[in-house]
Amino acid sequence: MNFKSIPLFKVFGIQVNLDFSWFIVFFLITFTLAEAFYPYYYPGHSFLVYLFVGAISAILLFASVLLHELSHSIVAIKHGIPVREIDLFIFGGVAMIEEEAPSPKVEFLVAIAGPLCSFALAFLFFILAYFYPQNDLLNGIINYLMYVNLALGLFNLVPAFPLDGGRILRSIIWAKKDIITATKVSSWTGTMFAYFLMLLGLLSLIQGSFINALWYGFLGLFLKNAAKVSFEQTKLSVILSQYKVEQFMHTIKPVLPDETISEFMLHHYPMYNTRIFPVIGKDGKIYVVDIFDIKSIPQTQWDTIKVADIAKPLVAYVSPYDTLMKALKLMNRYQLNELPVIYGNTVLGIIKRDVIESLLERYMLQEKFGR
Ligand code: ZN
């Protein structure tokens, strides 16, 4: 979570956040609907009424986007891929799906769930409009939601990674070749689609519709960047998922509960090239001590204070059989550079960020020199 977004609620264990940029789109949609759409098709009301109906429509659009993202998330969770949060922001929503799909089939199912949900919603509002044909504002809201959900489903089906359609394209190529080639191709179509949107922005500018130009321009920039980042992310994930933590960890012996800081500094600290040290607490649980915490304690007290007394509870750790990808994700999430490697209740070692980074550098070099 960051200070740029407001935590809304939790559903199916997924935290839903509202990004501040969403308010821009909320006001834009509310005003556009209140000034143009509703007065044109449903005349005869005051501006305040239109504003109210516009705001309700914008909130229901937001609910539709949320349901779209939830569909992706539920299918992902069903296939064992954790989803931590959904962020709603200016261009819609993003479900923070934690891992790459384990297979092309799962990727396909997760990707198609969103557009299918939007089409189902469009169909639902189509039925509602059929049974409520009165030419009033309620009918207006129903019609609006039918069109936006249809548009949401169609736009997301454009085969431009990382849009859903791009993910579907990727899953199909992945099934025939490999994930890297698949991501390369679908990121390329994603970038091309981004340029196409920017071109539309330029044409709108020439025609004098400034708001449309801005809209297309920003959306194009956003998608172009997202395609690039997603490609890098996939490459990283593919490389790091091949290796297990045990292959890269430094073995380490834990500090025992009765060791004083002096004993630790003499016997333990010089042996290992790490910053954190796992400590067995008096309760038998595993804690960690950071060398910086020790250095802040005056040396005169080192004989009397035990390491276990200043150790902190574990924030995160990995098992030796976890992938390096999982280790890196945990490090990023908790802003750590080292993680204890623990199996059962046994401390085995430490996995360090710089070891993972140097592995990635080797891959980068290999790519540069064409293997
Ligand atoms: Zn989607």
Side-chain angles (χ1 to χ4, degrees), residues 65 68-69 72 93 110-111 113-115 118 152 156 162-165 167:
V65 171
H68 175 113
E69 294 307 325
H72 288 305
V110 172
S118 296
L152 218 58
N156 274 293
L163 292 180
D164 299 335
R167 291 187 185 278

Side-chain angles (χ1 to χ4, degrees), residues 276 278 286-288 312-319 322 326-342 349-351:
I276 61 162
I286 299 165
Y287 295 79
V288 281
K312 291 171 183 156
L314 276 179
V315 177
Y317 66 93
V318 281
S319 121
D322 283 331
K326 183 173 177 192
L328 185 65
K329 277 209 168 130
L330 283 173
M331 286 176 190
N332 289 342
R333 188 186 308 168
Y334 296 106
Q335 293 174 321
L336 300 166
N337 289 320
E338 297 178 359
L339 284 177
V341 182
I342 295 170
I350 296 282
I351 182 80

Side-chain angles (χ1 to χ4, degrees), residues 82-101:
V83 180
R84 218 160 24 107
E85 50 189 29
I86 292 177
D87 288 336
L88 297 157
F89 71 116
I90 190 160
F91 296 126
V94 181
M96 296 292 166
I97 293 176
E98 294 273 282
E99 290 161 22
E100 294 284 345

Side-chain angles (χ1 to χ4, degrees), residues 34-308:
E35 267 209 337
F37 178 77
Y38 285 120
Y40 184 79
Y41 290 105
Y42 306 90
H45 301 275
S46 73
F47 182 63
L48 223 59
V49 171
Y50 287 132
L51 214 54
F52 179 68
V53 174
I56 288 185
S57 310
I59 289 170
L60 289 172
L61 164 63
F62 147 89
S64 302
V65 171
L66 181 58
L67 285 174
H68 175 113
E69 294 307 325
L70 271 178
S71 312
H72 288 305
S73 307
I74 289 166
V75 177
I77 290 170
K78 255 204 167 137
H79 287 91
I81 309 168
V83 180
R84 218 160 24 107
E85 50 189 29
I86 292 177
D87 288 336
L88 297 157
F89 71 116
I90 190 160
F91 296 126
V94 181
M96 296 292 166
I97 293 176
E98 294 273 282
E99 290 161 22
E100 294 284 345
S103 70
K105 192 184 157 204
V106 173
E107 165 103 347
F108 179 85
L109 292 175
V110 172
I112 203 148
L116 282 183
C117 167
S118 296
F119 290 140
L121 284 171
F123 185 66
L124 176 79
F125 288 111
F126 172 77
I127 299 286
L128 280 178
Y130 180 80
F131 286 108
Y132 190 82
Q134 278 83 337
N135 193 32
D136 61 9
L137 285 170
L138 181 60
N139 176 276
I141 295 178
I142 294 171
N143 268 306
Y144 170 73
L145 287 170
M146 178 179 81
Y147 285 119
V148 287
N149 275 297
L150 187 64
L152 218 58
L154 287 175
F155 178 77
N156 274 293
L157 275 184
V158 174
F161 191 73
L163 292 180
D164 299 335
R167 291 187 185 278
I168 291 168
L169 174 69
R170 180 168 86 151
S171 72
I172 294 168
I173 303 174
W174 181 9
K176 300 213 160 109
K177 294 199 86 176
D178 59 285
I179 187 172
I180 293 274
T181 313
T183 313
K184 231 178 227 168
V185 174
S186 52
S187 300
W188 183 81
T189 62
T191 311
M192 288 304 117
F193 182 60
Y195 282 130
F196 172 71
L197 288 174
M198 288 184 223
L199 187 71
L200 284 184
L202 202 66
L203 290 176
S204 307
L205 197 65
I206 293 166
Q207 287 179 340
S209 44
F210 192 63
I211 294 281
N212 279 354
L214 267 184
W215 206 241
Y216 282 128
F218 278 131
L219 190 57
L221 277 178
F222 168 74
L223 278 179
K224 184 173 166 286
N225 185 50
K228 187 167 172 268
V229 170
S230 305
F231 179 52
E232 295 299 325
Q233 202 72 41
T234 303
K235 226 165 53 179
L236 189 86
S237 173
V238 168
I239 294 168
L240 293 185
S241 298
Q242 299 173 57
Y243 299 103
K244 300 263 179 272
V245 166
E246 62 171 348
Q247 298 170 278
F248 288 86
M249 69 183 187
H250 297 273
T251 50
I252 197 168
K253 270 191 193 161
V255 184
L256 296 172
D258 286 331
E259 271 182 67
T260 62
I261 296 178
S262 293
E263 286 166 337
F264 166 80
M265 291 305 279
L266 194 64
H267 304 302
H268 211 94
Y269 174 65
M271 302 205 19
Y272 305 105
N273 182 26
T274 64
R275 183 180 146 177
I276 61 162
F277 295 86
V279 180
I280 309 285
K282 287 182 182 112
D283 54 3
K285 286 187 186 148
I286 299 165
Y287 295 79
V288 281
V289 67
D290 189 319
I291 193 66
F292 285 112
D293 292 340
I294 290 180
K295 287 187 171 160
S296 66
I297 294 171
Q299 278 206 27
T300 48
Q301 298 176 23
W302 282 11
D303 280 334
T304 49
I305 298 178
K306 288 176 177 167
V307 180

